[in-house]
Amino acid sequence: MNIKKHIPNSITLLNLFCGCIAMVFVSNQDFEIAFFFVFLGIFFDFFDGFFARLFKVTGELGLQLDSLADMVTSGVVPGSVMYYLLLNSQHDISNCSYIPFLGFVITMGSCYRLAFFNIDTRQTDSFIGLPTPANSLFMLSLPLVIKYSDSLFILELLTSQWVLLLITAFSAYILNAEIPLFSLKIKKFTLKDNLLQIVFLTLSFLLLVFFQYAGVPMVIIAYVLLSVVNNRFSLDGKTK
C-alpha cells in the first residue's frame, strides 16, 4: 500500500473537518473561533496541493475532493456568516424575515466558481476571479471588525442591510469575474519571478500587524488591486 498517495487527500479532509467545526461555531455566532478554524482549513487547503505535487500523486479524485471540501469551508461557512450579519443588521431596507437568507448568494457564487474552476484549463498557474478561500477570510473577518472596531462609521457601515447586501452581491460577482489574479505558489526560487508575491506578503504582514482583524479585508482588497495593476503593467516581469 502506497501511503504517500493518501497524504494529500487526508490533508484535504482536514480542511473539510475544519469547515464543519467552523460551521458549528458560526451557528452559535462565535465568529472568532470560526475564523480560526476557517483559517486552519485554508492552511490545509494550501498544503494538500503542495504535497500532491511533491509526491507526484495529483489526480482527478484529489481535484474533486478539494472542491467539495472548499464548498464547506469557503462556501457554506461565509454564506452563513453573512446570514447572521444580515439577521443582526439595522433594518434600513425592510423588516422582512427572508432578507438574511440572501447571504447564501455567497454560497451559490462560491459553488459556481468551484465547479467552473475544475473545468477551466486557464487556472493552473494563476486564478480567474477571486479564489473562494480569500473570499471566505474576507467574510469571516467582517463580524470581528464589527466586534473590535472603535469607529462608529465602520459599525454603522457594516451593520447596514444596504451595505451588507452590496457586499454579498459584489462577492458573488468577484468570485466569478473574468479578472486574472496572481497565484501565491512559488515555483522558481528567484527574486524576479516572485517579486509580486514578496510585495504582497510584505504588505499583508504590515496590514495585519497594524490593523489586526480589520487588516484582513484590506489584504484581500490589496490582492485584487495588485493583480489589476500587475495585469496592466506586468509587475511580475512576464509578458502579457
Side-chain angles (χ1 to χ4, degrees), residues 112-129:
Y112 188 89
R113 178 195 161 68
L114 289 167
F116 188 73
F117 179 84
N118 285 352
I119 61 173
D120 190 353
T121 57
R122 300 172 298 168
Q123 302 191 59
T124 53
D125 296 322
S126 60
F127 301 107
I128 306 293

Side-chain angles (χ1 to χ4, degrees), residues 4-240:
K4 284 185 179 181
K5 72 177 183 179
H6 296 290
I7 291 177
N9 288 344
S10 298
I11 296 174
T12 301
L13 290 174
L14 287 175
N15 171 22
L16 175 60
F17 183 59
C18 288
C20 292
I21 296 175
M23 191 63 241
V24 173
F25 283 101
V26 168
S27 65
N28 292 326
Q29 299 192 52
D30 191 340
F31 299 113
E32 199 156 6
I33 302 299
F35 180 92
F36 170 78
F37 277 103
V38 165
F39 182 85
L40 187 60
I42 291 171
F43 174 83
F44 288 130
D45 182 45
F46 181 84
F47 279 100
D48 60 0
F50 172 81
F51 281 106
R53 292 188 295 272
L54 179 67
F55 297 143
K56 296 181 173 61
V57 291
T58 55
E60 188 63 25
L61 175 61
L63 179 66
Q64 300 302 326
L65 195 62
D66 185 72
S67 289
L68 290 170
D70 280 347
M71 186 57 216
V72 176
T73 307
S74 300
V76 177
V77 174
S80 300
V81 168
M82 184 54 73
Y83 165 82
Y84 284 108
L85 287 177
L86 285 166
L87 188 68
N88 300 324
S89 66
Q90 301 173 30
H91 301 287
D92 43 8
I93 297 178
S94 168
N95 288 317
C96 177
S97 61
Y98 296 111
I99 282 184
F101 291 105
L102 293 175
F104 290 107
V105 168
I106 294 171
T107 302
M108 293 188 291
S110 300
C111 182
Y112 188 89
R113 178 195 161 68
L114 289 167
F116 188 73
F117 179 84
N118 285 352
I119 61 173
D120 190 353
T121 57
R122 300 172 298 168
Q123 302 191 59
T124 53
D125 296 322
S126 60
F127 301 107
I128 306 293
L130 186 67
T132 54
N135 185 66
S136 185
L137 287 176
F138 184 96
M139 295 303 160
L140 266 292
S141 71
L142 295 182
L144 302 180
V145 173
I146 294 172
K147 180 178 179 180
Y148 291 106
S149 177
D150 295 324
S151 170
L152 182 60
F153 173 74
I154 295 295
L155 293 176
E156 290 181 350
L157 198 67
L158 294 181
T159 55
S160 165
Q161 279 185 342
W162 280 111
V163 173
L164 292 173
L165 288 175
L166 284 173
I167 291 174
T168 298
F170 186 74
S171 169
Y173 164 75
I174 199 69
L175 282 166
N176 297 284
E178 287 286 319
I179 302 174
L181 303 176
F182 67 89
S183 172
L184 292 177
K185 295 176 182 177
I186 296 175
K187 295 188 175 181
K188 295 180 180 179
F189 294 93
T190 63
L191 178 61
K192 180 181 177 182
D193 289 312
N194 298 293
L195 180 60
L196 184 59
Q197 287 82 353
I198 292 171
V199 169
F200 172 69
L201 291 174
T202 302
L203 179 61
S204 298
F205 175 78
L206 293 174
L207 287 172
L208 293 174
V209 167
F210 286 105
F211 297 100
Q212 300 180 341
Y213 285 122
V216 176
M218 293 181 187
V219 167
I220 307 305
I221 293 170
Y223 172 57
V224 174
L225 292 178
L226 275 174
S227 294
V228 172
V229 173
N230 177 58
N231 295 337
R232 180 66 179 85
F233 298 104
S234 301
L235 297 183
D236 56 4
K238 298 176 182 177
T239 302
K240 297 296 179 181

